[in-house]
Amino acid sequence: MIADIHGNADALAAVLEDMQGFGVTQAVNLGDHFSGPLDAAGTAELLMARDFVSIRGNHDRWLLGQDPADMGPSDLAAFRQLPPEALDWLRALPATRRPFEGVFMCHGTPTSDLAYWLERLDAEGQPRAATLAEVEQEAGTVKEGLILCAHTHIPRIVRLGDGRVVLNPGSVGCPAYDDDHPVFHVMQTGTPNASYALVDRAAAGWQVSFRSVPYDAGRMVRMAQEAGRPDWARAVGTGWLT
């Protein structure tokens, strides 16, 4: 499963090659495909050539629902690159899906594409892992045994008390970012590698393998620099903002 590509076509290409090496036949895509000062057009070309089960994230929603004059710089950079057919592809995506029996997909939580699920922020904006009680509270009435989320860009898996699993595969293309919702904070993985996850049904439950794929991020770093975004260049090139 993949998530949070954010226009990083080279990271996506590396992940697709890695998946091919494992003989992966099905993939799901948890949203935020294009937003960023990178290669949104190249990312769209790669994604639309594949029949991945996909949903939209918060940045996908903003690409469709805002006047360009009101877009943030990352959304606007992607919007200016995307052909009409890519926006049509986004427009057809739902916010949540049940792609296979026993599997549920959302971007943030089942009810919000802006809420963090497996992480929380304190009043000063310091992130921490959510407690089991906090994770279970968000699970609500989702009955599926495998619940997939994204949005924080941090790979993590939590098993609930009843055996259900909540899984975030991490970010394919944006290993660090800052945000001011609901308070200013920084999320960073500390590695520029592209992250995704492999999942199999096993007799004892869901078997999950997190993949951290190295790739040459030089072209993406240059694109961010040329767009006047040193924060993105540092994030994509190092996995850190601070």
Side-chain angles (χ1 to χ4, degrees), residues 26-241:
Q26 292 180 324
V28 299
N29 181 4
L30 300 170
D32 278 6
H33 316 284
F34 304 130
S35 179
L38 305 178
D39 187 5
T43 300
E45 184 176 349
L46 287 171
L47 285 179
M48 294 194 311
R50 290 160 173 83
D51 191 25
F52 292 161
V53 178
S54 301
I55 59 173
R56 67 173 183 264
N58 57 300
H59 281 281
D60 304 319
R61 176 167 55 84
W62 293 337
L63 280 173
L64 297 172
Q66 295 188 79
D67 186 286
D70 297 325
M71 289 181 181
S74 294
D75 295 329
L76 183 59
F79 183 82
R80 286 172 170 167
Q81 288 190 37
L82 292 172
E85 54 268 28
L87 295 174
D88 289 341
W89 179 82
L90 271 186
R91 198 169 287 112
L93 299 181
T96 64
R97 293 183 84 159
R98 289 172 167 85
F100 314 111
E101 183 179 356
V103 180
F104 177 85
M105 299 168 59
C106 64
H107 182 71
T109 70
T111 58
S112 172
D113 61 12
L114 285 175
Y116 288 173
W117 197 341
L118 302 185
E119 284 74 31
R120 290 292 186 276
L121 303 172
D122 66 20
E124 287 73 43
Q126 291 298 313
R128 63 168 175 82
T131 65
L132 177 59
E134 288 169 336
V135 176
E136 289 186 327
Q137 183 178 21
E138 295 288 352
T141 60
V142 178
K143 303 298 185 184
E144 284 74 14
L146 179 62
I147 305 170
L148 308 178
C149 67
H151 190 44
T152 66
H153 300 198
I154 307 297
R156 182 161 289 148
I157 183 172
V158 173
R159 180 169 175 167
L160 307 184
D162 60 8
R164 287 177 297 166
V165 169
V166 183
L167 171 63
N168 185 331
S171 172
V172 168
C174 181
Y177 67 92
D178 59 27
D179 196 359
D180 57 6
H181 175 81
V183 62
F184 181 81
H185 62 281
V186 174
M187 303 293 279
Q188 48 196 357
T189 64
T191 173
N193 289 1
S195 294
Y196 79 105
L198 298 171
V199 180
D200 290 309
R201 293 182 191 262
W206 291 100
Q207 180 175 304
V208 178
S209 299
F210 290 105
R211 298 289 296 167
S212 181
V213 182
Y215 72 102
D216 182 356
R219 187 173 76 96
M220 298 295 99
V221 169
R222 290 192 296 274
M223 291 188 78
Q225 291 169 336
E226 290 166 1
R229 297 297 301 275
D231 53 337
W232 272 80
R234 184 165 57 253
V236 171
T238 69
W240 296 98
L241 276 182

